[in-house]
Amino acid sequence: MSSLQLQSIRVPTAAVGPDNPLPPLVKAGDTYIDDPKIDDPDLLARVRYGHLSTTLPYLMQDGYIRERSEQDLPVAVLENDVLRATFLLGLGGRLWSLIHKPTGRELLFRNSIIQPTNLALRGAWFAGGVEWNLGTKGHTTLTCEPLHAVEVRADDGSPVLRLYEYERTRELVYSIDFSLPDGSDVLLAAVRVTNPTPAPVPLYWWTNIAVPESADVRVIAPATQAFHYGYPSGLHVVPVPEHDGRDLSYGATSPHAGDWFFDCRTASRPWIAALDDHGCGLVHVSTRRLIGRKLFVWGDGVGGRNWQRFLCGTDERYLEIQGGAATTQFEHEQLGPRSATTWVEAFGLADVDPSLAHGAWSDAVDATNSVADRVAPTALLEAELLASAARADRAPHRMLHRGSGWGALEEHRRSRSGEPPLTTPGIPFTPDQLDAEQSPWVALVDSGRLPAADPADSPRSYVVGASWVERLEQAPDGWETWLHRGIARWHASDAEGAYAAMLHSVRALPTAWAHRNLGTMDRAAGRSAAAVEHYRSAIALKPGLRPLVIEALIVLLEAGLADEALALIGQLSDEHRTSGRIRMIEIRAALAAGDLDRAGALLDTDLVVADLREGEESLSALWADYHAQRGTNPMPAVPPHLDFEMS
């Protein structure tokens, strides 16, 4: 019999930490491409559609450090006689482990630690397991957030684990029904994404699967070409599997980090597998709606190996196989107004004749396809698609875990506005889910005004979107109302109106928050001197806030005020001054001020930047700049602990 239980697991974990209180007016780490070398008008149209310029209304998650402690994490365990699946309910519903019970084999890369690092849309991300990415290119806004979890009963009485949430950048509801029928060789995941709004919405989804990497692991998909994205080279078509003198299906041989999006559009069904030297490993199969398949590797260079150690804490290595709603991750589909899209994914053990799995590509594809058909036949997936639709509105048998209160807030707003409800019997967003983050917005809906706030405290949350703009514009004036109007207008691409609102907020009551927002807007518009003045005012009002100090230092350096930046660093507490990011900025400031001895002494320390961004080459660039100013010839190699280059 299949079963569903709540348990906990103990994992060395670095806490995500508090949200950054400064609203992200500019999206960090944008890797959209302007000129893909692709002769496919439809694909190019999807590449140019749906970009997000900011992750508002979400705040960034960059308060983590690199010190870990043993933590008990809540999990749901779903199992039958073949598979045991473990889900991290407090961390995006990540499928953390999938064990094939007859062999005892772990089918995923189960990281030995949870170490947030700056790889997601909101910053914090950790490696391992299977992640469910909705929204836009990048790791989802919800990857380090709790999800709602309930148990639903299938027609035969067996348990179904349903995870669901309301994603605020796109205003979408999504749910995943996980089931393990008796005797099933695969974990079934029925995904439903619903657009409850009266307008079409860009749709992006990628299921991100980490599996162990070794020299003998081969990644196989039903394709003869792929769209390759290399960090210096953009997106272009390459043959599969032989390209550039090597077999790209063996990810461990890649010298650099890269993405290969297998073109599965002409395949009979989409799937991808990662198989070891015995022909065993994970196979991921889906219905055709999830057409994309991808291989990602960190590469065998020093930078790639450093990234793996940064994320895993050891020399363990992993690669990623993925499934997406489009052929590449640079595309957005369109989800129509008040409509839903659904598909089913299956995860299980593939056991392929190793002579075929590691033989000619066509033989490997045919043999793996046959195994995929055996363990996850099309009829099984289509039957699960119908079954999930039939139980979509089935009320939960029991509540297992609570996610955020944002869906409940949207339900409250809709009920007061006479709009169609967000909640359904199967996806309940209820008042008991509301908490302090939503309380000012409940007050705005109920009374038409924002409650008074302490100007010394940052706003705990923000709202954006047309339905909230209207309420904010009608609310009584006040410094906090003007500030929130400014954020909502900025999100709506009204830069002039946003700036005017922030000026009104400052005139009503000067706060660090409005001055910072004005400085950020000035910086985005190229008004360097004005940006500096506003950041000076913000720092004077809130001198000990590290995220604000970091932004102010960057603005000062961009304005050529290195000495002022160094003076500001000198005023910081030891805790702030010794943080890796500020240390790195101090090196940059020292180089700009011509203080090579200071820069060299800092470079000679064991510098660790906890929030180093994927693709960021700041550390190696500082090393090169320092030695260029020193006139070192030949320039010494970048020390391994500073080398995170991905190309």
Side-chain angles (χ1 to χ4, degrees):
M1 291 288 293
S2 59
S3 66
L4 174 60
Q5 297 179 332
L6 287 178
Q7 299 179 10
S8 65
I9 59 172
R10 198 164 181 80
V11 184
T13 300
V16 174
D19 286 352
N20 185 328
L22 309 178
L25 302 184
V26 179
K27 183 170 173 282
D30 194 341
T31 54
Y32 289 116
I33 44 178
D34 295 324
D35 186 28
K37 303 173 181 64
I38 304 297
D39 184 18
D40 186 329
D42 291 338
L43 188 150
L44 290 175
R46 291 190 296 272
V47 166
R48 296 178 181 123
Y49 167 67
H51 296 192
L52 278 178
S53 59
T54 171
T55 53
L56 284 170
Y58 290 103
L59 296 173
M60 298 300 288
Q61 295 175 315
D62 57 8
Y64 49 84
I65 56 176
R66 295 204 54 85
E67 295 175 4
R68 297 178 290 273
S69 62
E70 296 283 342
Q71 300 290 324
D72 292 315
L73 305 176
V75 297
V77 178
L78 179 66
E79 63 181 311
N80 64 3
D81 53 343
V82 181
L83 295 169
R84 181 186 301 116
T86 302
F87 300 84
L88 294 174
L89 300 179
L91 292 167
R94 185 82 60 102
L95 173 58
W96 191 236
S97 170
L98 185 62
I99 293 176
H100 184 254
K101 293 167 68 173
T103 62
R105 181 186 182 113
E106 173 63 74
L107 298 182
L108 305 175
F109 172 70
R110 183 175 57 193
N111 203 344
S112 58
I113 63 172
I114 292 178
Q115 174 58 63
T117 311
N118 189 6
L119 275 75
L121 290 169
R122 295 174 64 192
W125 181 84
F126 60 102
V130 182
E131 177 188 30
W132 324 100
N133 292 295
L134 173 71
T136 194
K137 185 181 186 302
H139 298 284
T140 176
T141 56
L142 300 172
T143 195
C144 288
E145 292 287 340
L147 295 193
H148 297 290
V150 298
E151 179 185 338
V152 179
R153 291 292 173 86
D155 288 344
D156 63 1
S158 62
V160 175
L161 172 64
R162 175 172 295 163
L163 303 179
Y164 69 94
E165 216 1 312
Y166 176 64
E167 203 286 325
R168 301 174 70 209
T169 65
R170 298 300 195 187
E171 300 181 31
L172 296 173
V173 175
Y174 76 99
S175 64
I176 316 175
D177 279 11
F178 297 97
S179 60
L180 269 173
D182 290 345
S184 175
D185 290 321
V186 290
L187 171 69
L188 296 170
V191 181
R192 176 179 295 269
V193 181
T194 302
N195 173 15
T197 75
V201 174
L203 172 69
Y204 170 99
W205 179 283
W206 280 80
T207 299
N208 182 1
I209 308 162
V211 295
E213 178 189 76
S214 62
D216 57 27
V217 169
R218 190 179 204 187
V219 174
I220 305 168
T224 57
Q225 69 173 20
F227 299 95
H228 173 47
Y229 178 75
Y231 285 81
S233 58
L235 190 69
H236 57 283
V237 177
V238 300
V240 172
E242 298 290 336
H243 173 62
D244 204 20
R246 71 176 190 89
D247 187 335
L248 63 85
S249 65
Y250 291 92
T253 68
S254 178
H256 306 299
D259 303 314
W260 287 267
F261 300 96
F262 295 102
D263 189 354
C264 299
R265 290 175 293 181
T266 60
S268 58
R269 63 196 305 229
W271 53 263
I272 192 168
L275 307 178
D276 64 14
D277 58 338
H278 299 294
C280 291
L282 180 81
V283 63
H284 172 250
V285 192
S286 71
T287 50
R288 287 198 63 81
R289 180 65 186 83
L290 200 76
I291 191 62
R293 291 299 185 274
K294 171 190 163 182
L295 163 65
F296 167 78
V297 298
W298 284 107
D300 197 39
V302 174
R305 292 196 298 272
N306 275 347
W307 269 114
Q308 298 248 29
R309 292 190 194 98
F310 209 56
L311 288 160
C312 304
T314 66
D315 287 330
E316 293 179 287
R317 304 193 65 177
Y318 73 94
L319 55 80
E320 294 172 2
I321 56 176
Q322 303 186 21
T327 305
T328 75
Q329 287 179 331
F330 297 97
E331 302 166 71
H332 291 86
E333 300 283 324
Q334 188 177 90
L335 186 57
R338 297 197 172 101
S339 65
T341 186
T342 60
W343 63 86
V344 170
E345 306 179 42
F347 307 80
L349 174 69
D351 189 355
V352 181
D353 182 333
S355 67
L356 297 175
H358 296 278
W361 181 251
S362 59
D363 293 339
V365 170
D366 289 345
T368 311
N369 186 67
S370 295
V371 170
D373 282 343
R374 185 178 73 247
V375 300
T378 298
L380 173 68
L381 271 59
E382 293 295 340
E384 181 63 14
L385 193 63
L386 292 174
S388 67
R391 66 173 178 259
D393 288 334
R394 192 167 297 169
H397 174 71
R398 60 172 171 151
M399 308 298 292
L400 302 175
H401 196 262
R402 178 175 294 183
S404 80
W406 294 110
L409 176 68
E410 175 64 7
E411 176 67 16
H412 183 68
R413 186 199 65 77
R414 284 167 168 259
S415 68
R416 293 302 178 97
S417 302
E419 298 177 32
L422 186 71
T423 195
T424 66
I427 307 291
F429 294 110
T430 54
D432 62 296
Q433 296 168 357
L434 295 165
D435 62 25
E437 285 192 325
Q438 293 85 46
S439 61
W441 312 114
V442 173
L444 179 63
V445 169
D446 290 346
S447 69
R449 66 172 60 239
L450 284 172
D454 186 342
D457 296 333
S458 65
R460 294 195 59 175
S461 59
Y462 295 87
V463 294
V464 296
S467 57
W468 290 107
V469 169
E470 181 179 355
R471 281 180 164 78
L472 286 168
E473 297 294 347
Q474 293 175 356
D477 292 345
W479 74 266
E480 59 270 80
T481 305
W482 279 113
L483 186 141
H484 283 291
R485 284 173 185 159
I487 297 299
R489 290 176 184 180
W490 181 268
H491 177 266
S493 300
D494 180 8
E496 184 177 342
Y499 198 85
M502 287 299 166
L503 285 175
H504 278 298
S505 181
V506 165
R507 290 165 185 158
L509 182 69
T511 65
W513 325 116
H515 274 299
R516 177 268 178 182
N517 293 334
L518 286 166
T520 302
M521 294 173 186
D522 282 325
R523 182 188 180 209
R527 299 185 292 263
S528 177
V532 167
E533 288 303 318
H534 282 299
Y535 270 98
R536 285 172 177 157
S537 297
I539 288 290
L541 289 163
K542 205 70 176 175
L545 185 62
R546 183 162 60 183
L548 179 60
V549 169
I550 289 170
E551 289 188 4
L553 289 171
I554 292 170
V555 167
L556 289 171
L557 288 175
E558 290 175 347
L561 300 172
D563 288 336
E564 185 175 345
L566 290 171
L568 177 56
I569 291 171
Q571 298 167 14
L572 300 177
S573 67
D574 288 343
E575 177 189 3
H576 288 347
R577 185 170 180 176
T578 57
S579 76
R581 177 63 61 176
I582 291 179
R583 276 271 176 93
M584 189 170 72
I585 295 172
E586 184 176 356
I587 297 170
R588 180 180 164 191
L591 290 172
D595 191 344
L596 299 186
D597 290 342
R598 183 172 181 173
L602 290 166
L603 279 170
D604 200 33
T605 62
D606 186 18
L607 180 61
V608 178
V609 183
D611 63 339
L612 197 70
R613 182 76 187 173
E614 179 185 7
E616 183 178 351
E617 299 179 354
S618 301
L619 290 172
S620 52
L622 288 173
W623 176 265
D625 190 10
Y626 169 73
H627 283 285
Q629 291 194 41
R630 280 285 190 199
T632 313
N633 189 17
M635 182 178 295
V638 177
H641 74 284
L642 300 179
D643 188 349
F644 286 84
E645 294 194 13
M646 297 175 64
S647 60

